[in-house]
Amino acid sequence: MSGLIGLFLGAGASYEAGMPLVWELTTELKNWLTPEKLRTFNLGWRRQGGGHPDAVIEDFIGVLIRDDLHYESILGYVENQSRREQGSSHYHGLYVWLVDMIYHMLYLRHINNAEYFERHLYLYDGIKGLSQKNSPLWVFSLNHDLIIEAVAARHSIPVSCGFEEEVVTFPRRDSAGNKIGDIRAEVLTKKTIEAGAMQFFAHGKEGINLLKIHGSLDTFTFRNGEDYLRLLPEKQSVDAVISTLRYANEELNYRDAAMERPVRAINEIAYRDDEGEMQFLRRSLLTGAFKFDSRAHQVIPKKILDHFRSNLNYLSRLVVIGYGFGDIHINQILRSWLEASGHRHLEIVDPFISAVPSFILHLAPQVTLTKATATHRLDSLGELTRDADQLAEREFLLYARRVGPEKIKEEMQLFADWEISKRTEALAERLRTLPLKNGEIDWDALPSSPEALALELVGEIPANHGAICVRFFDFKRVVSMEHDAPAS
């Protein structure tokens, strides 16, 4: 038991699968929610009998436009204003609306980019090898995304999130309200959580024990908020993981003949059960500045931290990937875990890490800093060797995210032009070497068939994304050398 290695994942761990970092998501939010748009929304809400006072909206806008605040800080400000105003329904309403917006931004990252998401999950294949060496593999995650669930489905690795054996079903309906199928979900009762009895895989059982500390896109409260459910895909596949998430958000609805459209609830899914009654599933995302704060109410039970604290003790080594150590409640538990035994070790994986975080500086001999990306480190932990094409594609994906869509589009066009020019030059040079007879190519004198010659002249076209990426970086190196070469 003492030899187990576990993972602790922050936002950076999902970056290579296309998920946003905190500042990326903040930029996306601010680009969409402009001050003018928010004021327009508020006018619309007022016409419907709701809305907020101008003073509240302008106060929020003053925070929204600040360049030094990311979305969690903005949410924290709104939460704090609600507390200062003794639970102001206006600030609380804005907070819930913003959390709902964050949910849908992450949800759409999965749904709208499903093909990209699935095609690049192979970058996380190191998890398979790591899970084979650790039975079970403990994964503690602050992320709301479904990366680990999808990777496990890709490799048919069993996953336990501590839920119980009870399974419930919910009716999927089309836009007219007709039942078209069911969604299955496993249940975790509040009683089980409070008793510290979450049902994870026992020591020695192969699989992944996954604890999502800050909630998940596929987890909701139901039964008047007392119990929790987690969606169960129809089959063990990446496509099923994404499809089931989409079914829950788009095909669980409430609508009757008198309504023009299904009921829309903020941060909840309103649905019609099999008896025709309206029910609600509340989304579980926990975000902002008051996570697990004793002064704040939250959907995720505070007892979850106790499960994190106790299950961490199964490990002798914890690999932290993509976490910036910005959550005090998490840092306190990590520190206590390290302090309890000199045989425990914390590894921090970050391509830009330069120093041991100050809160564990007194434990520095038990801390290792690894400058690497998430999937690069997972490869080494899982003893997975990549070929040159896969390494080049991973490098290209990171480079493309770093420079942005406009820049990479421009560079890819330059690369295409470069490829054409190089092939044209090579073709012209090869044609000059062909034997001639009466001013025309002497086919009989050629060492190979016309078909083989044609392939030779055109050159081999890269057969996969990785090979194309290899060529792209060849182009980048050549252009860089030409740019840096001294003028003659």
Side-chain angles (χ1 to χ4, degrees):
M1 184 179 295
S2 61
L4 288 181
I5 299 173
L7 299 176
F8 183 92
L9 308 179
S14 299
Y15 182 74
E16 291 165 270
M19 294 297 111
L21 299 176
V22 169
W23 282 107
E24 282 185 322
L25 194 58
T26 301
T27 299
E28 187 177 334
L29 171 66
K30 291 184 176 183
N31 286 343
W32 183 81
L33 186 60
T34 63
E36 294 75 17
K37 185 177 290 185
L38 180 58
R39 293 185 183 107
T40 300
F41 282 154
N42 197 42
L43 290 175
W45 296 332
R46 285 178 178 174
R47 285 193 293 268
Q48 297 172 18
H52 308 290
D54 289 341
V56 171
I57 292 296
E58 295 306 317
D59 180 47
F60 173 65
I61 287 174
V63 173
L64 181 66
I65 62 177
R66 289 182 62 126
D67 293 334
D68 58 338
L69 299 183
H70 54 61
Y71 79 89
E72 287 213 88
S73 299
I74 294 170
L75 284 166
Y77 176 84
V78 175
E79 286 179 283
N80 198 54
Q81 287 295 85
S82 177
R83 290 172 51 213
R84 285 175 174 173
E85 299 292 331
Q86 297 182 346
S88 165
S89 61
H90 294 294
Y91 281 106
H92 178 70
L94 277 176
Y95 172 80
V96 174
W97 181 68
L98 286 167
V99 173
D100 184 73
M101 194 182 308
I102 296 299
Y103 179 98
H104 281 90
M105 290 167 68
L106 294 173
Y107 165 72
L108 291 174
R109 283 273 182 145
H110 288 68
I111 303 303
N112 293 344
N113 302 303
E115 183 179 347
Y116 177 97
F117 179 76
E118 184 169 1
R119 186 163 65 83
H120 295 102
L121 276 182
Y122 78 90
L123 294 172
Y124 290 81
D125 284 352
I127 290 176
K128 178 182 179 181
L130 189 58
S131 71
Q132 291 172 339
K133 296 191 296 180
N134 295 272
S135 298
L137 172 64
W138 280 95
V139 179
F140 306 100
S141 178
L142 302 182
N143 300 331
H144 312 303
D145 62 59
L146 305 184
I147 302 298
I148 296 299
E149 294 89 333
V151 171
R154 169 179 163 83
H155 295 289
S156 298
I157 303 172
V159 173
S160 172
C161 291
F163 282 59
E164 301 162 53
E165 294 183 356
E166 180 186 359
V167 173
V168 292
T169 60
F170 300 90
R172 294 168 51 196
R173 300 185 186 277
D174 61 20
S175 58
N178 302 309
K179 185 173 178 178
I180 56 175
D182 289 299
I183 298 176
R184 298 170 64 250
E186 59 184 359
V187 174
L188 176 62
T189 64
K190 182 179 180 179
K191 180 180 179 181
T192 296
I193 297 174
E194 294 298 328
M198 293 179 71
Q199 298 179 19
F200 290 105
F201 293 142
H203 177 65
K205 181 174 176 59
E206 183 177 342
I208 294 175
N209 279 339
L210 175 60
L211 182 60
K212 307 284 278 287
I213 301 170
H214 288 170
S216 179
L217 294 179
D218 65 349
T219 303
F220 305 83
T221 66
F222 74 129
R223 294 172 179 164
N224 296 318
E226 289 297 308
D227 297 330
Y228 301 82
L229 65 87
R230 174 177 172 263
L231 303 178
L232 292 174
E234 296 173 320
K235 56 183 178 180
Q236 199 166 36
S237 71
V238 177
D239 177 67
V241 170
I242 303 301
S243 296
T244 304
L245 181 65
R246 182 175 60 81
Y247 296 155
N249 282 275
E250 299 179 19
E251 296 179 356
L252 290 183
N253 58 62
Y254 182 91
R255 179 177 180 172
D256 58 34
M259 302 175 67
E260 294 183 1
R261 62 180 66 87
V263 170
R264 172 79 168 90
I266 300 299
N267 212 29
E268 293 182 317
I269 295 175
Y271 71 97
R272 184 180 180 185
D273 65 18
D274 286 319
E275 284 70 46
E277 297 295 323
M278 181 185 290
Q279 305 289 350
F280 294 90
L281 303 180
R282 175 168 292 181
R283 297 185 171 97
S284 66
L285 265 61
L286 179 59
T287 184
F290 293 90
K291 297 186 286 285
F292 293 97
D293 191 301
S294 60
R295 300 165 294 174
H297 172 76
Q298 62 183 55
V299 176
I300 293 293
K302 295 180 174 65
K303 201 73 173 176
I304 286 292
L305 278 187
D306 291 339
H307 289 272
F308 171 42
R309 184 181 292 106
S310 61
N311 289 313
L312 196 57
N313 291 324
Y314 285 111
L315 308 178
S316 62
R317 182 177 168 194
L318 184 67
V319 182
V320 177
I321 303 178
Y323 172 51
F325 297 95
D327 288 310
I328 296 174
H329 56 283
I330 297 296
N331 296 348
Q332 290 175 336
I333 292 175
L334 294 178
R335 171 177 169 162
S336 296
W337 174 75
L338 266 184
E339 287 177 338
S341 172
H343 297 292
R344 291 174 175 173
H345 196 87
L346 186 75
E347 178 183 355
I348 303 173
V349 179
D350 184 324
F352 308 107
I353 189 74
S354 60
V356 174
S358 59
F359 75 98
I360 49 173
L361 198 56
H362 62 298
L363 300 164
Q366 293 173 248
V367 181
T368 297
L369 306 181
T370 302
K371 287 190 175 184
T373 66
T375 63
H376 182 273
R377 185 62 183 125
L378 289 172
D379 282 356
S380 56
L381 288 168
E383 299 180 355
L384 177 62
T385 302
R386 303 277 184 186
D387 60 32
D389 287 354
Q390 290 179 332
L391 293 174
E393 182 168 19
R394 176 162 61 193
E395 184 182 355
F396 175 80
L397 291 172
L398 289 169
Y399 176 76
R401 287 286 297 276
R402 187 168 67 250
V403 302
E406 295 301 320
K407 179 67 173 177
I408 198 63
K409 181 179 179 181
E410 175 187 332
E411 292 195 359
M412 288 301 290
Q413 183 59 59
L414 293 173
F415 167 56
D417 295 341
W418 179 79
E419 278 276 275
I420 292 172
S421 68
K422 290 299 180 182
R423 289 179 182 276
T424 301
E425 292 172 7
L427 176 60
E429 181 63 29
R430 185 67 179 89
L431 287 172
R432 283 193 289 269
T433 66
L434 296 179
L436 301 177
K437 184 177 182 180
N438 299 325
E440 297 182 352
I441 297 174
D442 186 358
W443 298 104
D444 294 332
L446 291 175
S448 57
S449 67
E451 292 79 8
L453 175 64
L455 180 60
E456 178 188 342
L457 294 177
V458 173
E460 184 177 354
I461 305 297
N464 57 59
H465 292 282
I468 294 173
C469 292
V470 170
R471 289 288 293 163
F472 173 79
F473 286 115
D474 286 343
F475 153 71
K476 291 287 293 180
R477 281 188 286 271
V478 170
V479 170
S480 177
M481 288 187 291
E482 290 176 349
H483 180 269
D484 294 338
S488 58

